[in-house]
Amino acid sequence: MQSSLALSVGLPAALVIIMLGLGLSLRLEDFTRVLARPWPVVIGLFCHILLLPALCFALVKVAGVPAAVAMGMMLLAASPGGTSAALYTHLARGDVALSLSMAALTSMLALLTLPVIVNLSLFAFYGETTDVRLEIVQVLQIFAIAIVPAIVGVFIRSRYPDFAAKLDRPVKALATIFLALVVIFALISQWSLLSSWGPTVGTVVVAFNLIALAVGYFLPRLLGVERRQAVALSMSMSIRNAALVIALAMSEFMLNDPELAIPPAAYGLVAYIVGGIAVWIMNRRQPAL
């Protein structure tokens, strides 16, 4: 399974530009507010690190999928939040600062949690363990592509607020176009994968994506989290850094098993499509401000 040039090169480049634009809509106060009221972050981390991996394990056990599919799904469940979630959060009028904070925190914590979950899953499905580690350079790449450009955008807004305000509508339009192009490129590049593995992988991938969306939104709401923050948590939990665990699965220095990369690759496509539908539904239920 090979990545297309559009996704492997164009996606990170476009994401840098979009994250810079999203930063222009944020203030430093947005991040200090997240830190001052950490309850949504606590709930989000609990769901992301403990609850959703447990639910994913139960899902693959009940579904009775092959070991390779089950292991690939657990890789996905152990992955940090995807930075693309901030784009969907922005379009759904959620708390972008919280979304970016979740991406940063889950990426850093993945240095510890991802190897633990992966090694336990290897033992559960294959009866063996290995010494899987996540290199810090991979986490730094996430920060370079997404977190740093957003911080630069926040700095620009603090210095040039009028300029940042003028860019709000163009950035939202550009984000919409960007997401549509990502889905199209993903469909084209992964079409053979979907054709051959769709019937086996599709059900558990879609089910886990819907579970993550529902848990990320409704559990925080039940625990008193406001709508904008629940939207951010829902997107952060359902749109994950699939590329990171695909690299882990395929690297000859790590798991070295391309079959394990198939569920995360399929999930990456499903998450973009379902996330877009979720944004549309949320915007219809919530009048524009």
Side-chain angles (χ1 to χ4, degrees):
M1 180 175 51
Q2 297 179 350
S3 300
S4 69
L5 183 64
L7 290 176
S8 61
V9 178
L11 179 56
L15 190 57
V16 168
I17 297 172
I18 300 300
M19 297 308 288
L20 174 65
L22 288 178
L24 293 172
S25 67
L26 299 172
R27 301 167 299 173
L28 290 174
E29 291 83 356
D30 295 325
F31 293 95
T32 56
R33 173 179 45 78
V34 170
L35 295 175
R37 298 180 179 179
W39 181 234
V41 174
V42 172
I43 296 172
L45 292 178
F46 167 76
C47 292
H48 196 105
I49 294 172
L50 296 175
L51 181 57
L52 285 173
L55 291 175
C56 184
F57 184 82
L59 174 65
V60 296
K61 280 292 189 180
V62 170
V65 295
V69 175
M71 188 63 215
M73 289 300 299
M74 290 307 298
L75 274 174
L76 179 70
S79 64
T83 50
S84 298
L87 305 182
Y88 286 86
T89 300
H90 181 64
L91 295 174
R93 297 192 289 275
D95 190 334
V96 178
L98 176 58
S99 179
L100 289 171
S101 299
M102 284 296 297
L105 289 170
T106 55
S107 296
M108 289 187 293
L109 290 173
L111 287 167
L112 301 174
T113 60
L114 194 149
V116 171
I117 293 173
V118 169
N119 285 312
L120 287 175
S121 299
L122 283 170
F123 181 77
F125 298 117
Y126 291 99
E128 63 184 42
T129 59
T130 187
D131 189 18
V132 174
R133 290 188 176 91
L134 182 63
E135 300 296 332
I136 193 169
V137 66
Q138 295 168 308
V139 176
L140 292 176
Q141 288 173 350
I142 299 169
F143 277 76
I145 290 174
I147 307 302
V148 172
I151 292 174
V152 171
V154 172
F155 174 76
I156 292 174
R157 171 166 179 169
S158 68
R159 296 293 300 272
Y160 309 102
D162 293 337
F163 174 70
K166 289 179 182 178
L167 289 179
D168 182 60
R169 283 184 177 272
V171 164
K172 188 170 288 189
L174 183 60
T176 303
I177 296 170
F178 164 72
L179 292 175
L181 290 175
V182 166
V183 170
I184 293 170
F185 282 129
L187 277 170
I188 294 172
S189 64
Q190 304 296 338
W191 186 254
S192 60
L193 180 154
L194 293 173
S195 300
S196 59
W197 281 77
T200 304
V201 179
T203 302
V204 290
V205 163
V206 172
F208 182 65
N209 182 247
L210 293 176
I211 289 170
L213 265 172
V215 168
Y217 183 81
F218 291 108
L219 182 59
R221 290 292 283 161
L222 286 173
L223 295 175
V225 174
E226 67 176 40
R227 178 198 173 274
R228 290 183 66 251
Q229 294 177 318
V231 168
L233 293 176
S234 179
M235 294 301 172
S236 296
M237 292 178 209
S238 62
I239 301 175
R240 292 170 172 262
N241 191 345
L244 179 66
V245 289
I246 289 172
L248 190 153
M250 299 183 69
S251 171
E252 61 180 309
F253 303 108
M254 294 185 184
L255 295 174
N256 194 26
D257 189 345
E259 283 193 342
L260 304 185
I262 292 175
Y267 185 93
L269 173 60
V270 167
Y272 281 130
I273 296 173
V274 175
I277 296 171
V279 167
W280 179 75
I281 292 173
M282 288 175 178
N283 283 335
R284 283 181 63 87
R285 292 174 61 86
Q286 182 77 8
L289 299 178

